[in-house]
Amino acid sequence: LAQIRRVAAPQARVSLVETVFASAQRLYALVDLEPLPEALGERLRQAEEAIYAAADARVRWSPEELASLASEAGFTEVHVQTEAHRAPRLVTRQHLAQWFSPGGEKRHTYAAHLARELSPDELTAVRRLFERQLVQQTVAWTTTVAYLTARAGW
């Protein structure tokens, strides 16, 4: 934002649209956790929520923090509005393969994050549940976006 502010014309209006990753669709919310042991279902929820509470600022920022960053960069008349967009999404085997691949050191997958809290057997049980309930199913996928408008007041 500071770089945008430096090159913006005096009194320029700036509009940004950003996906709010901290409010991303939770995969556990797409399935019925009832077939899992109660403790595993709760640990799955906690493990997935921990992804979004991670130290990585690219994931955990809030719309309020976006507004603060814009103000700190020197923008005025800063406004942020969020909207949740729901759209149908077909969950394919490829989605599951991506979510449950081991990942790597630079690209952490859903499974890699869950493996911090779940045993290999528990992770297998979760994957099987997702396969039974989600593959080739169309789900209501929610994406939250933040709309920021501001003025580059000189």
Side-chain angles (χ1 to χ4, degrees), residues 1 4 8-9 12 20 29 44 53 59 83 88 112 115 119 145:
L1 287 171
I4 294 171
V20 183
L44 169 61
V59 173
E83 287 183 13
S119 73
V145 294

Side-chain angles (χ1 to χ4, degrees), residues 95-118:
H95 287 120
L96 244 65
Q98 290 171 341
W99 297 339
F100 285 93
S101 73
E105 197 171 305
K106 291 185 179 183
R107 186 177 166 273
H108 298 290
T109 64
Y110 181 69
H113 285 286
L114 295 185
R116 296 175 182 161
E117 303 296 327
L118 306 180

Side-chain angles (χ1 to χ4, degrees), residues 13 26 28-29 38 43 46 49 54 60 62 71 84 100 150 152:
R13 298 284 302 162
R26 301 312 198 250
Y28 70 78
E38 185 177 336
R43 289 182 39 242
Q46 290 173 356
E49 290 299 334
R60 74 162 195 273
S62 70
S71 294
F100 285 93

Side-chain angles (χ1 to χ4, degrees), residues 3-22:
Q3 290 175 336
I4 294 171
R5 173 67 178 82
R6 278 195 295 280
V7 298
Q11 298 301 308
R13 298 284 302 162
V14 174
S15 297
L16 297 173
V17 179
E18 292 287 339
T19 301
V20 183
F21 293 108

Side-chain angles (χ1 to χ4, degrees), residues 125-136:
V126 168
R127 181 182 181 138
R128 286 185 181 144
L129 177 76
F130 280 35
E131 287 172 347
R132 284 192 307 272
Q133 293 186 19
L134 292 178
V135 171
Q136 294 309 117

